[in-house]
Every structure is written in structure tokens, then in C-alpha cells.
Amino acid sequence: LPDLAKRSDVLLGNLEDAIPIEAKEAARKGFIEMASKVDFGSTGLWTRINALNSPWALADITEIVGAVGNKLDVIMLPKVDGPWDVHYLDQLLAQLEGRYGLKKPVLIHAILETAQGVNNVEAIATASPRMHGMSLGPADLAASRAMKTTRVGGGHPEYKVLADADGEKPRATSQQDLWHYTIAKMVDACAAAGIKPFYGPFGDFSDAAACEAQFRNAFLMGCLGAWSLHPSQIEIAKKVFSPDPTEVAFAKKIVEAMPDGAGAVMIDGKMQDDATWKQAKVLLDLAKLVATKDPAMAARYGV
């Protein structure tokens, strides 16, 4: 586990859907024991508790915060339907922080995995100063919407666009992204609220290429990370969510040519102005963040 912590930005103790009913209490105790013993360094410690309408959520919150609240960075709240769910957790955390004398606030990360939650995404994003961000939960969201797929994230071969007919020639098809609309809506809500959007899990461990494609779509649309269900996906996520060194080098050119972001310049035959300067800053800031955890990438970026 300490080695896994060094390779990751966040370690998440999952107490929810992946845990059988008969193992819920044991999982909670195991998380507390692990959190007590392990030194996580700069890696964030999160837990995904059970849904608020479950019999286990209250004990998840009170026991974990009481035992390891000063080591816990974020509670991931599943199946958030609206701001009322965040309000409840916010108030409960305030009470527990006062009771146990916590030295820092515990933040809240909402999982967007119900149709009602997507409908209320903007209100959820601004529901509390504790809001850290949101993650897409594609499997539960698919069920909530009655989508006809059993896949956890990723595309579907039947969700496609068919080219126009041209006589007897075979018609080209292009598979589309089932999650494009939802990710875009979530990213906009998070960006407007100043919190962090994440893509969720990709369930097919055997298809690294499809996992990489889904992660990259989310990265390009503005997500800051994705959740790895299997250790093999950690390197995929690190690869995708670390900006390309060539793009970072070009971003450095833009910022060096326009230190204050004002005016317009031509670089490699392309016009750059204040808007592209802001885009370049996004890439450079991300490269610097990646560099703090990855010396090899720091050397490639030259930051």
C-alpha cells in the first residue's frame, strides 16, 4: 500500500457498492485501521461512503471522522440527487469536526450517478464551501436513465452515426461517446463553481486501449483526473492526464512571447492572443503540478 500511495495522487477507500452487505462493517473497520497505520505523504486519503439513504452511511461518517478525521482529506458522496444531500453531510461534518477537534475541514466530492443529480448539477456544485469536485458514475447513471448498456463507461458499438448511402458502396460508421453530454455538463458546472471535475471508472480491465481513449476524451474536455479500478489503469491515467511535452513546450513559447498575456504575436505561423495565452497557462500549470509528483516528467517538461 505505501508503494501504491507513492504512485497515485489519491487513495480511495471504497465502502459502497463493491462491498457485500455482510462485509460493510468489516470494510469500515479495515479502512480505519489502514488509515491509522499508513503514512500517505502528499497522497490524498479519501473514502467513498455508502449512500445517505443506506443503513451504513451514518456510521461510516461518524466512526471514520472520529477515528482518523485528521488524516482524511475528502469524503466521496455517492448518488447525490441534489444540494440537500451535500447540505446534510456538510452540517454533520461541522458537528464532528467540533466534537473531535479536527485541525482541517473534511471536503466533499459528489458522484454524479443519477438522472436527478445531472439535472441538479449546478446546484450541487455550489452547495457547500466544502465541495472539492465531482466524478461521473457511469454505471449507476446508466441504470438511472434506463440506458441500454451493461458497460461501465466507454463507448458502445451500437451508439453510432451512419454515413449517407452512396449506391451499393459500404456505408462508413463512427462510434460515438455515450458520456459526452454528461461530462460536458459536469465540467461546466465545476468550472463555474471553481471545483474539480473527474471522470469515473472504466470497467473493462482487459481493454487498455479503450480505457485510454475514454480517459483522453475526459481529459480533453476538462476533467482533471479519472478513477482507476485496477492497478494496471494507474499508468494509463498518469499518461493521459499528464500533458504532452510537445504541447507544453509550445505553451511555454506562447507565455515567453507574451509574458503579461497582452497583445498578439505570431508563433510558428499561428496567431496567439490573450485567449491562447490563457490556454497555454492551463497546460503549464498542469505540467508544474505533474512535475511535483513525477521527476521524470519534470525533466521532460523543463519546469
Side-chain angles (χ1 to χ4, degrees):
L1 190 59
D3 179 64
L4 190 61
K6 292 176 183 177
R7 296 168 55 201
S8 308
D9 295 315
V10 170
L11 280 182
L12 172 70
N14 180 19
L15 306 180
E16 199 214 5
D17 287 350
I19 308 300
I21 290 174
E22 63 274 12
K24 293 289 189 183
E25 293 189 11
R28 185 191 309 129
K29 290 177 182 177
F31 175 79
I32 291 171
E33 182 179 356
M34 176 274 297
S36 301
K37 293 180 178 178
V38 175
D39 179 4
F40 298 94
S42 62
T43 297
L45 177 64
W46 297 25
T47 183
R48 183 170 84 173
I49 63 171
N50 287 281
L52 292 180
N53 61 358
S54 76
W56 308 284
L58 184 59
D60 287 344
I61 301 163
T62 56
E63 291 183 19
I64 290 171
V65 173
V68 293
N70 278 319
K71 296 186 79 171
L72 184 67
D73 296 297
V74 177
I75 286 180
M76 179 178 266
L77 185 61
K79 300 177 179 63
V80 176
D81 282 330
W84 49 86
D85 290 328
V86 178
H87 296 161
Y88 171 83
L89 181 56
D90 175 278
Q91 291 296 297
L92 181 54
L93 286 171
Q95 293 171 336
L96 293 170
E97 287 165 355
R99 178 178 179 181
Y100 294 108
L102 267 61
K103 298 175 183 177
K104 61 182 178 62
V106 177
L107 302 184
I108 299 171
H109 188 97
I111 312 182
L112 203 60
E113 50 189 344
T114 69
Q116 190 175 14
V118 175
N119 197 43
N120 291 320
V121 65
E122 294 177 10
I124 293 169
T126 58
S128 166
R130 294 180 188 272
M131 283 297 295
H132 168 277
M134 291 190 206
S135 289
L136 177 69
D140 277 296
L141 181 55
S144 175
R145 286 174 167 167
M147 294 168 65
K148 311 308 184 286
T149 176
T150 57
R151 300 179 177 209
V152 179
H156 194 288
E158 296 306 315
Y159 192 69
K160 60 191 177 184
V161 172
L162 189 66
D164 291 345
D166 184 7
E168 298 299 320
K169 294 180 180 179
R171 299 174 70 175
T173 64
S174 178
Q175 184 171 316
Q176 305 297 294
D177 184 359
L178 283 166
W179 308 107
H180 181 88
Y181 158 80
T182 309
I183 293 174
K185 190 169 183 180
M186 179 184 74
V187 167
D188 281 346
C190 288
I195 63 176
K196 298 175 175 62
F198 284 64
Y199 180 72
F202 186 86
D204 189 351
F205 306 151
S206 66
D207 195 343
C211 177
E212 182 173 334
Q214 181 68 80
F215 282 4
R216 181 164 286 107
N217 287 349
F219 170 73
L220 290 171
M221 289 183 69
C223 288
L224 300 183
W227 293 101
S228 299
L229 290 178
H230 188 273
S232 65
Q233 294 179 337
I234 294 175
E235 292 307 314
I236 297 173
K238 288 176 71 174
K239 173 184 175 183
V240 170
F241 287 91
S242 301
D244 184 273
T246 303
E247 296 248 356
V248 173
F250 189 68
K252 288 174 71 176
K253 277 187 178 183
I254 295 172
V255 171
E256 288 168 0
M258 305 170 59
D260 59 358
V265 297
M266 292 291 290
I267 301 177
D268 297 346
K270 298 177 182 178
M271 192 274 287
Q272 311 296 333
D273 59 11
D274 65 317
T276 52
W277 182 87
K278 293 172 186 174
Q279 290 176 297
K281 281 285 290 176
V282 169
L283 283 173
L284 280 177
D285 289 346
L286 178 56
K288 291 174 183 177
L289 186 62
V290 170
T292 63
K293 295 275 289 188
D294 192 330
M297 290 305 294
R300 293 183 68 189
Y301 291 147
V303 297

